[in-house]
Amino acid sequence: TYKAAPVTVDVSTNLKKTLSTTGNTVRPLQPGEFKFYLVDTGTDTTSNADDVLIGEGTNDANGKITFPQITYDTAGTYKYLLVEQNQAHPGITYDSTKYYVTVNVTDSTQDGQLDYTVTYQKATEQGTLNEVVFRNEYYGEPVEVIVKAQKNQINKDLQGNDYTFVLTADQKSIE
């Protein structure tokens, strides 16, 4: 009997993570900082208790998201839900967008090797995407700074408003 050889698929090819910052805050991505889930939701495509976790992915320092590869030994269409786990890191606003990852495995040439395509789709929209980008934002926590200064003048008593002072930072002044 004929049976095609299994095919191993990397669904991570076009998955990215970005972390934008506000103001003068600089906050690079850390490898493994964010987690993503690839879930088989069955035929209803909504999250519920019957979901099967297919894989857990993480980001690298450049934002590439990777999942373990998946091996298929049967032709068919496999549709998964792709989500980011909200880990509640301080100052981070997480991207709650849900995507579908569809792997279409075929044996159309009957040459003993399964073929596949991977497509991405935003769960709330029609049409396919070339890539999936999860966009998080980082807002630095406010910090209170107390600046103390003292002006001394030799041989003359200071009067109430003899001097003014300006505190500057990054070309912006606070008076």
Side-chain angles (χ1 to χ4, degrees):
T1 63
Y2 171 80
K3 181 161 175 72
V7 64
T8 301
V9 177
D10 180 3
V11 298
S12 312
T13 306
N14 295 316
L15 305 180
K16 295 182 181 177
K17 173 75 190 157
T18 64
L19 181 63
S20 61
T21 58
T22 60
N24 296 326
T25 305
V26 176
R27 169 91 166 46
L29 280 170
Q30 300 299 316
E33 181 175 15
F34 298 102
K35 293 183 181 174
F36 307 87
Y37 295 129
L38 193 63
V39 178
D40 185 347
T41 61
T43 57
D44 63 9
T45 65
T46 58
S47 296
N48 59 51
D50 297 333
D51 293 351
V52 177
L53 180 63
I54 299 300
E56 184 176 307
T58 60
N59 63 285
D60 67 12
N62 296 316
K64 174 146 178 58
I65 299 169
T66 55
F67 280 91
Q69 294 184 334
I70 305 168
T71 300
Y72 299 92
D73 59 7
T74 305
T77 300
Y78 304 87
K79 189 170 187 175
Y80 307 111
L81 186 66
L82 172 63
V83 295
E84 179 176 11
Q85 179 190 18
N86 184 335
Q87 296 174 275
H89 291 308
I92 302 283
T93 301
Y94 285 82
D95 187 338
S96 62
T97 307
K98 296 178 181 181
Y99 297 91
Y100 294 129
V101 177
T102 303
V103 180
N104 190 24
V105 179
T106 61
D107 189 15
S108 57
T109 59
Q110 298 282 309
D111 64 355
Q113 181 62 47
L114 294 172
D115 299 306
Y116 70 91
T117 58
V118 177
T119 57
Y120 308 103
Q121 176 186 357
K122 194 178 272 191
T124 59
E125 297 176 7
Q126 297 296 317
T128 59
L129 303 169
N130 292 327
E131 69 178 3
V132 169
V133 180
F134 285 94
R135 294 174 171 86
N136 288 2
E137 294 181 11
Y138 175 73
Y139 298 93
E141 296 293 322
V143 177
E144 184 176 315
V145 177
I146 298 172
V147 178
K148 293 184 179 185
Q150 180 175 335
K151 171 68 177 162
N152 294 321
Q153 185 169 336
I154 300 174
N155 297 330
K156 182 178 175 190
D157 290 336
L158 288 174
Q159 301 301 313
N161 293 321
D162 285 351
Y163 298 93
T164 58
F165 300 91
V166 177
L167 178 64
T168 63
D170 296 328
Q171 309 299 322
K172 297 176 185 174
S173 66
I174 304 168
E175 294 187 24

